[in-house]
Amino acid sequence: MPHLYLHVPFCRRRCTYCDFSIAVRKRIPARDYVDAVLRESALVLESSPGWANPGAVPRGSSNATPLLNTQVGKSDGSLDTLYLGGGTPSLLPPDAISALLTPLRDAFHVTSSRDAVEVTLEANPEDVKPEIAAAWRRAGINRVSLGAQSFDDRVLKWMHRSHDATRIGDAVRALRAAGFDNISLDLIFALPAELRRDWARDLDLACSLLPAHLSLYGLTVEERTPLARWISRGAAAAPDDERYAEEYLLAHLRLAACGYRFYEVSNAERDGHRSRHNSAYWSGRAYWGLGPAAHSYDGRVRRWNLAGWEAYRRAVVAGLPPVEAEEVLTEEQRELERLYLALRTDAGLPHAACPPDRLTAWVGEGWVEVEGERVVCRPEGWLRLDALVGDLTGAGRAV
Ligand code: SF4
């Protein structure tokens, strides 16, 4: 079943650590965005051997064209997941989200009950208000991923986030009242030591809100970010590996005590609330991406769109595919990806894919465990994923 990603590039300002492809805007050009994405979806459905159902045309797109009667892989043309990521998708007004989702549902023949499709919206806590949450629910959103990052106002300020800690709980409560039970929180760990961030407290406060899902990301320093500039002039310390490992392992302990289970290196769920969309990426399934900088993958070719909002928009308005480039993965590259993807999730590697001497060494170090026919990483293994894959490919020895 297909998976569709929509990249919404707009943000009010840039966070300290962020190098994503975003367009910082005071006023969000929602109508132009909806029009552009629907135009792109029509182009994709027309030109890609792929995905659609005969005769379906996205309504609301001024150059919508009939779709090809073709199929991707096992696709029955019906969506399984749709993910609005960014950027800050919650900056789109609810009527724009509805204007986007309704024609896409028609185009991708969503005939099953609305909640059979996982529809995720990434949101910043300050954008969640009771009436807006209710409108999102009416538009068909059934999962919200909140960029909480920390419950410490000092840290949020340092990150250049536009919410304070109280907004996170308010947002969760507003979402629940609107009928959302599938709520995920993002947190960032391994912050520079001088911030004296209390990571255990942040984990406990996150757990106290009982989200269905948590995503934990270690801070990385990307080029051309405010953080990289601070570090280069000595105004901030570079994040260190020891802190990263300590905080990562602490998260495993703390979250397990609260009933969460890591099913991927950075993601934990309770009561089976895995992200179906991200799980599709991690199991190597095909997906389509629409919007600036969005990536698509058909199992062999990876393709990505122009990153700049204006360049993207100009291309689709001119009726041109907004694709910047594509790469055809070699069998070797696909095998390497399969190894990474298998080891990063709790699906693990088939036993037979792991040479016996490596397996013995890894189990001895406490990096993996054997579950039936699978070799699955323990948290200590997830901390050295690159080394484990290097060990398997001959690129280096992990032990
Ligand atoms: S809100 Fe998200 S996408 Fe926007 S600048 Fe901050 S981290 Fe980047």
Side-chain angles (χ1 to χ4, degrees):
M1 280 205 170
H3 305 274
L4 182 60
Y5 174 80
L6 306 182
H7 188 75
V8 186
F10 310 109
C11 289
R12 291 260 190 250
R13 54 189 181 176
R14 188 174 283 279
C15 298
T16 300
Y17 47 82
C18 180
D19 75 336
F20 289 177
S21 171
I22 60 167
V24 175
R25 294 285 186 280
K26 279 205 172 72
R27 285 169 53 87
I28 306 305
R31 191 178 292 198
D32 289 346
Y33 174 78
V34 171
D35 179 65
V37 169
L38 293 179
R39 283 172 185 264
E40 189 195 358
S41 75
L43 287 170
V44 163
L45 292 168
E46 180 189 34
S47 63
S48 297
W51 142 311
N53 296 280
V57 178
R59 288 196 308 262
S61 175
S62 48
N63 69 344
T65 40
L67 310 180
L68 299 180
N69 182 9
T70 49
Q71 301 243 317
V72 167
K74 295 185 290 181
S75 166
D76 64 1
S78 183
L79 281 184
D80 184 34
T81 66
L82 193 154
Y83 194 105
L84 289 104
T88 313
S90 54
L91 288 177
L92 288 177
D95 60 346
I97 292 175
S98 187
L100 194 56
L101 296 191
T102 303
L104 289 176
R105 281 175 177 277
D106 286 353
F108 292 103
H109 257 229
V110 177
T111 51
S112 47
S113 84
R114 289 180 128 213
D115 280 349
V117 181
E118 179 190 270
V119 185
T120 303
L121 178 87
E122 285 183 356
N124 278 348
E126 70 274 19
D127 296 330
V128 186
K129 312 265 174 2
E131 64 285 2
I132 287 179
W136 289 344
R137 195 73 191 90
R138 284 195 300 277
I141 307 290
N142 52 29
R143 181 173 186 273
V144 174
S145 174
L146 276 180
Q149 317 310 0
S150 172
F151 289 81
D152 181 331
D153 285 342
R154 219 173 25 90
V155 168
L156 290 167
K157 203 166 167 200
W158 178 87
M159 289 177 171
H160 211 205
R161 302 292 301 188
S162 39
H163 64 279
D164 60 27
T166 57
R167 291 294 311 154
I168 303 168
D170 292 348
V172 169
R173 284 183 284 278
L175 289 167
R176 289 232 167 84
F180 288 94
D181 59 0
N182 201 348
I183 300 169
S184 181
L185 296 185
D186 285 2
L187 294 175
I188 298 183
F189 67 97
L191 301 179
E194 69 268 17
L195 277 174
R196 298 184 195 288
R197 191 267 194 93
D198 187 340
W199 176 230
R201 174 179 177 272
D202 271 357
L203 288 169
D204 291 348
L205 287 171
C207 288
S208 71
L209 293 171
L210 290 176
H213 187 277
L214 282 155
S215 298
L216 310 183
Y217 300 108
L219 182 72
T220 53
V221 182
E222 309 296 342
E223 284 177 26
R224 293 188 294 275
T225 57
L227 178 59
R229 288 193 289 277
W230 296 348
I231 291 172
S232 73
R233 62 169 191 256
D240 74 88
D241 292 348
E242 214 170 299
R243 173 179 296 273
Y244 186 104
E246 268 172 25
E247 294 193 355
Y248 183 72
L249 296 176
L250 179 68
H252 275 264
L253 287 175
R254 228 60 182 205
L255 296 194
C258 296
Y260 290 89
R261 185 172 189 282
F262 275 79
Y263 65 103
E264 194 267 348
V265 58
S266 302
N267 288 277
E269 52 85 11
R270 64 176 178 79
D271 304 330
H273 283 100
R274 296 177 177 225
S275 162
R276 275 161 47 195
H277 186 83
N278 289 330
S279 295
Y281 295 156
W282 302 323
S283 52
R285 268 177 264 155
Y287 53 86
W288 283 94
L290 302 175
H295 284 55
S296 303
Y297 178 60
D298 69 0
R300 196 181 64 91
V301 180
R302 183 166 292 124
R303 175 176 303 156
W304 54 97
N305 280 350
L306 294 162
W309 155 241
E310 295 297 347
Y312 164 85
R313 179 165 172 263
R314 272 196 300 276
V316 288
V317 166
L320 301 170
V323 175
E324 181 175 275
E326 67 175 36
E327 65 173 339
V328 180
L329 299 188
T330 63
E331 184 46 44
E332 201 174 54
Q333 287 170 317
R334 284 194 283 162
E335 178 55 22
L336 190 61
E337 286 207 0
R338 276 195 287 273
L339 288 177
Y340 263 110
L341 292 174
L343 278 174
R344 71 185 284 175
T345 70
D346 64 356
L349 270 182
H351 201 279
C354 199
D357 66 322
R358 297 295 81 211
L359 184 56
T360 306
W362 292 1
V363 171
E365 294 288 340
W367 295 340
V368 300
E369 55 200 3
V370 178
E371 295 179 2
E373 293 299 308
R374 315 291 297 182
V375 177
V376 181
C377 276
R378 301 186 71 242
E380 292 79 1
W382 274 329
L383 277 171
R384 42 181 63 75
L385 204 47
D386 288 348
L388 298 188
V389 172
D391 213 350
L392 290 176
T393 58
R397 279 278 156 134
V399 58

